[in-house]
Amino acid sequence: MMGLMEGMDFPLRKLQLNPGDSLFLYTDGVTEAMDEEGRLFSDEKLENLLGTVPADAEAKDILTLVSEAVKGHAGNAEQSDDVTMLGLIYKG
């Protein structure tokens, strides 16, 4: 677990992936990336963007898509947090 804080409870969850399933993990710096007017990229915008990904997309393509969208959103605004992403596609 990353970013674990002492004294906090974190529930254990299990997930079984099937061939073709994918995971997209990210830090809050993705959804909290601000544009020049202070507007956040947002969970909703990320969810909508990921909804456009073709079923046959590779993980690197998904990461590039999101990275470019976040950079485009931010424009010339200074980066205020880390932007970290991990994409996995289970091939079986």
Side-chain angles (χ1 to χ4, degrees):
M1 179 172 297
M2 299 175 359
L4 183 64
M5 296 175 66
E6 191 172 335
M8 293 188 72
D9 271 343
F10 292 92
L12 176 63
R13 303 258 197 262
K14 292 184 179 186
L15 174 70
Q16 181 172 334
L17 298 176
N18 296 307
D21 286 348
S22 59
L23 290 175
F24 178 78
L25 308 171
Y26 59 96
T27 60
D28 62 353
V30 173
T31 54
E32 294 177 1
M34 287 185 268
D35 66 11
E36 295 156 347
E37 296 177 17
R39 292 179 298 228
L40 300 178
F41 187 76
S42 79
D43 293 325
E44 181 181 355
K45 191 168 186 174
L46 177 59
E47 186 176 334
N48 289 338
L49 179 63
L50 291 173
T52 69
V53 174
D56 62 346
E58 294 294 326
K60 67 178 181 169
D61 300 325
I62 298 168
L63 296 172
T64 298
L65 175 72
V66 175
S67 179
E68 289 177 356
V70 169
K71 287 177 187 174
H73 171 80
N76 292 322
E78 187 173 325
Q79 185 173 330
S80 60
D81 199 356
D82 69 294
V83 175
T84 305
M85 300 176 287
L86 173 65
L88 302 168
I89 298 177
Y90 179 62
K91 302 285 185 174

